[in-house]
Amino acid sequence: YYVAIKGDSFLNSGRIAMRIFRRNLLTIYVNDYLTNAIFFITTLVVALISGFATYVFAVHILMSDYGWSVSLLFSAIAWYLLQFAANILVDAMDATFMCYAIDLDCEKNRCEAAHEAFTASRIEN
């Protein structure tokens, strides 16, 4: 993310990003773990509910003998689509955190929304 944000070389960006991560290790861990856990649980629940609803629809309304296979297929499709969307959101959050951490190191406030998002989570914890 640092390469895309600052435009530095890959090696130099990696070094700077590691320094930033070392200074903000607890915040990174809490935000990343919490976000991934929320997205995983949400994806799992929605995929299971979708599969169950598909099973009920196939067996009771369509009178199909293959309700379990249709529900497994639909659950897998829902799982992969939701994981795809969740990964996009996680990447956006990681980039936002990188911008926030860069601003902390420079002692500047270039993005008020990022500062509000991460300082609010710090106050609540």
Side-chain angles (χ1 to χ4, degrees):
Y1 297 115
Y2 196 87
V3 172
I5 293 169
K6 289 291 193 171
D8 291 346
S9 68
F10 185 76
L11 184 61
N12 190 29
S13 295
R15 287 181 187 145
I16 295 170
M18 284 306 297
R19 279 189 231 127
I20 290 172
F21 289 158
R22 281 189 209 129
R23 286 190 283 268
N24 301 299
L25 189 60
L26 183 61
T27 307
I28 290 170
Y29 179 74
V30 169
N31 287 329
D32 191 48
Y33 177 75
L34 188 63
T35 304
N36 287 334
I38 288 170
F39 282 133
F40 177 79
I41 291 168
T42 304
T43 301
L44 181 66
V45 168
V46 171
L48 290 175
I49 290 171
S50 299
F52 180 71
T54 305
Y55 177 78
V56 169
F57 179 75
V59 170
H60 293 292
I61 295 176
L62 298 178
M63 304 295 180
S64 173
D65 293 333
Y66 301 103
W68 60 271
S69 60
V70 173
S71 68
L72 286 177
L73 178 66
F74 195 76
S75 291
I77 291 170
W79 171 265
Y80 285 114
L81 287 175
L82 290 169
Q83 280 295 107
F84 178 75
N87 286 335
I88 292 171
L89 294 174
V90 167
D91 288 343
M93 189 177 138
D94 290 344
T96 305
F97 181 78
M98 181 60 80
C99 292
Y100 169 72
I102 291 169
D103 285 354
L104 284 180
D105 282 354
C106 297
E107 296 181 0
K108 294 181 181 177
N109 188 355
R110 297 181 196 134
C111 181
E112 187 64 36
H115 283 269
E116 287 176 10
F118 290 106
T119 55
S121 67
R122 228 185 243 178
I123 292 170
E124 291 172 4
N125 292 333

